[in-house]
Structure formats: C-alpha cells, structure tokens
C-alpha cells in the first residue's frame, strides 16, 4: 500500500489514524456486529455517535448556547439557496461581499430568491481581480439587510479573510467550507456559518450549519422552503427529521477526536500557519528567484489553498506531471484560474509541505 501526499482541494486528505480506525471498525462497530453504515439513525448506538460528534464540534469551536449545530445534506451550494430561503423573509434583501468564485456562486443563487446588494467586490478589471479582500471601510452595507454574506476562504482564488469583519447588528453569514476548524472561529459573532464537510471534516455528503437560534422564526422563511431544509425543523428534530448522512457524521466525529488529540483548533492553527509560511516562503519569500509567483495580496493569502504559478502554462503542466510521479498529487489549479494550487488542510502533515518545497527547488533548478 502506498499513500501519497494529497493536495486535493476537496474532497481532501483525511488524517490517516482516522481512516485506520474506520477500517478497523468497518464490519463491527464496538461489538454491535454491524457497520455504522448499517445502523438505524434512530438506534441508541448511532444517536450516541451523532451526539458525541456534535458535542466535540461544539467543544472544539466553543459554540455558544445561542447557536444550534445542524448536520445537513446538500453541500455548500445547497446552502446558497437555503440561507436566503430561511433568512430573507420579511426583508428587502441581503448584502453580499464578492471575493471570488464561491462568493460569486452564492450571489447568483441568492438572486433567485430576493434582492442582492453586492456591498463590496474585489473583482477588479477583467482577469486582474480577486486577489484581496475589499477593505471593510469600503463596504456599502444596508442596515436593513436580512444578513451580510461572506466566503471566509475562497478555495479557488486562495483568498482568506484575516479576521472576522464587524458588520454591526446585521447577522453575519459565512461560507467557511474550506477553512472550518483550521483556526479559531468566534461563532458568537456570526448569525450563521455553513460548511461542506469534504475538506477539513470528513466525507462529502455532510454539511455543517451553525445558526443563531433566534433567527429561526417563521417570518424569515420564504414560501416554498422544503420542510427537510427548514433550519427550524432540522433543529427541533436534532438533525433527525429525515435520515442524516450517518456514515459521514461518524467519520466527522473521528476527525473531531483527532483534532482534539492534536491539541485542538489553536494547535491546528499554529501548524497551519507554519505550513503556509514555509510554502509561501518558497514561492516568493526572501531569497526566492522569481520563478514562482503568487498573485494574492500578502495579507489575504489563504493558509488552506496556496495558489501559485511558474513562468508559463507549459511549465505549470510539467510541474503537475513531475510532482505526480513523486507522490505529490492534485496540484493543478482550478480550471477557471489555471496555474497551480496546493491545498494544505488540517490533515496535510508538515512533511508533505516540506516534500513539496523540496520538489519546487528541484523543478526550478531543472527549468529555471
Ligand atoms: N464554497 C466553497 C468555499 C467551496 O470550496 C466549495 C467546494 N469546493 C463550495 C462552496 C461548494 O461546495 P459543495 O460542492 O459542497 O456544494
């Protein structure tokens, strides 16, 4: 068996101890004689697994009692519709901050449900933009908005908010799909947070929603909201209104245990900062030759998705191929931006980034 260093943006590498434990428990979970996949979601065994996963997530992020944790399905793109459908009612519209591909998808979807005010955008001139977060003092926020939506980490552009923006009394909503649990998150400052699980948490199919309970009122819902996607219904049924993604919840619970054993979210943040500093340093840090470039403004560089390029598209392609042969996989940039991208989520060990940096030096020596 050979494991590679997997830089996939998502679904992404999971901690090896988690995969090993899941393999060991696959056929017989804790003497029950069945796999977690084969359990009723209402069985005491599975209810315990789900309750523990939720408790661990609450502990890791310090989720306050004001907020409910929901285990849903549909991914972040479904949330792009479910957020307005659950929260826009009784309001003229919502504010959105445009920082790239994923916030753009959120904006386009929300427009199907109500008025969207793009309060700030880093789009810039054609092709040149999405390399920074618009400064907070340039945002044209509407104090009557239903909420303000941001994408805290743009997985494709490699742009990440350095800190939570202050938006006053209007609830802040964030797509944190590609950074959840990578650094501390002050959940109390948000009205709602959502994340697909398939990067830092577990298998695709599970979507995490954390929502301030006082926002879950009928006046905020829009007509036509499916019952299974009504946050109030999901919350009142402890995420068991219908069958939740049971196996994904179980793996998520193992990942939460692993994060806790690593020292929690603060420890993950320190490790992630070290990995990112090493990689950005190799790209264009002091002493670098200019062979590699990163387009993102230094204060907005993502610690999860590091985008960079060589001097040409041909060399980018050669880099991906040669890296692959060395067990450094999934380094091709997203098709909409090209170039290279290394996704270095929680489960990527420092050794993986060290191996990538060593390979970058070699590749430069051969092609620079
Ligand atoms: N938002 C962000 C920030 C993402 O990275 C992704 C997936 N890469 C999505 C939304 C879409 O998520 P899903 O495929 O789970 O709907």
């Amino acid at each position: 068996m050979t494991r590679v260093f997997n830089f996939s943006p998502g679904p992404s590498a999971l901690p090896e101890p988690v995969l090993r434990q899941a393999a060991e428990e696959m056929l017989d979970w804790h003497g029950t004689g069945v796999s977690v996949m084969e359990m009723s979601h209402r069985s005491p065994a599975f209810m315990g697994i789900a309750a523990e996963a939720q408790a661990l997530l609450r502990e890791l992020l310090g989720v306050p009692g004001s907020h409910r944790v929901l285990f849903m399905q549909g991914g972040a793109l479904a949330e792009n519709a479910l957020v307005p459908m659950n929260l826009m009612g009784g309001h003229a519209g919502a504010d959105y901050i445009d920082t790239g591909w994923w916030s753009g998808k959120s904006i386009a979807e929300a427009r199907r449900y109500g008025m969207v005010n793009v309060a700030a955008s880093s789009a810039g001139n054609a092709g040149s933009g999405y390399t920074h977060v618009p400064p907070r003092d340039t945002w044209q926020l509407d104090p009557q908005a239903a909420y303000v939506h941001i994408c805290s980490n743009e997985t494709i552009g490699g742009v990440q908010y350095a800190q939570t923006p202050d938006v006053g009394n209007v609830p802040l909503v964030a797509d944190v799909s590609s950074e959840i649990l990578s650094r501390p998150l002050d959940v109390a400052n948000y009205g709602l947070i959502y994340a697909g699980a398939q990067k830092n948490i577990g298998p695709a199919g599970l979507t995490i929603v954390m929502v301030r309970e006082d926002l879950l009122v009928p006046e905020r819902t829009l007509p036509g909201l499916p019952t299974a996607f009504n946050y109030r219904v999901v919350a009142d049924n402890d995420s068991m209104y219908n069958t939740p993604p049971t196996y994904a919840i179980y793996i998520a619970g193992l990942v939460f245990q692993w994060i806790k054993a690593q020292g929690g979210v603060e420890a993950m943040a320190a490790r992630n900062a070290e990995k990112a500093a090493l990689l950005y340093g190799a790209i264009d840090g002091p002493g670098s030759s200019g062979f590699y470039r990163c387009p993102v403004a230094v204060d907005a560089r993502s610690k999860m998705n590091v985008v960079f390029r060589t001097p040409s598209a041909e060399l980018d392609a050669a880099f991906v191929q040669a890296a692959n042969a060395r067990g450094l996989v999934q380094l091709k940039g997203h098709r909409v931006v090209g170039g290279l991208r290394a996704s270095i989520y929680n489960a990527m060990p420092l050794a993986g980034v060290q191996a990538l940096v060593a390979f970058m030096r070699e590749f430069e020596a051969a092609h620079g």
Side-chain angles (χ1 to χ4, degrees), residues 22-56:
E24 268 169 34
E25 296 177 344
M26 175 61 79
L27 296 181
D28 173 10
W29 186 81
H30 294 204
T32 55
V34 297
S35 168
V36 174
M37 266 184 264
E38 303 170 304
M39 286 176 187
S40 162
H41 57 298
R42 302 196 192 279
S43 64
F46 184 75
M47 298 281 270
I49 289 170
E52 194 192 338
Q54 180 173 165
L56 274 167

Side-chain angles (χ1 to χ4, degrees), residues 80 96-111 130 149 151 154:
N80 284 346
Y96 278 71
I97 309 302
D98 174 30
T99 48
W101 177 262
W102 293 114
S103 47
K105 296 280 267 191
S106 301
I107 289 164
E109 187 71 7
R111 284 201 166 117
Y130 294 136
H149 179 283
C151 175
E154 290 278 2

Side-chain angles (χ1 to χ4, degrees), residues 53-83:
Q54 180 173 165
L56 274 167
L57 179 59
R58 297 192 80 103
E59 179 186 337
L60 287 170
L61 288 177
V63 180
S66 51
H67 284 62
R68 299 296 299 263
V69 172
L70 313 181
F71 291 149
M72 299 187 67
Q73 307 195 54
L77 291 195
E79 293 306 322
N80 284 346
L82 300 178
V83 166

Side-chain angles (χ1 to χ4, degrees), residues 9-11 74-80 101-103 105-106 151-156 175-179 194-199 204-207 305 334 341 345:
L77 291 195
E79 293 306 322
N80 284 346
W101 177 262
W102 293 114
S103 47
K105 296 280 267 191
S106 301
C151 175
S152 63
N153 185 66
E154 290 278 2
T155 321
I156 293 176
D175 174 359
V176 299
S177 294
S178 49
E179 68 147 75
Y194 63 92
Q198 65 269 24
K199 300 160 198 303
L206 168 64
T207 313
N305 310 98
H334 191 275
R341 169 174 54 170
Y345 300 117

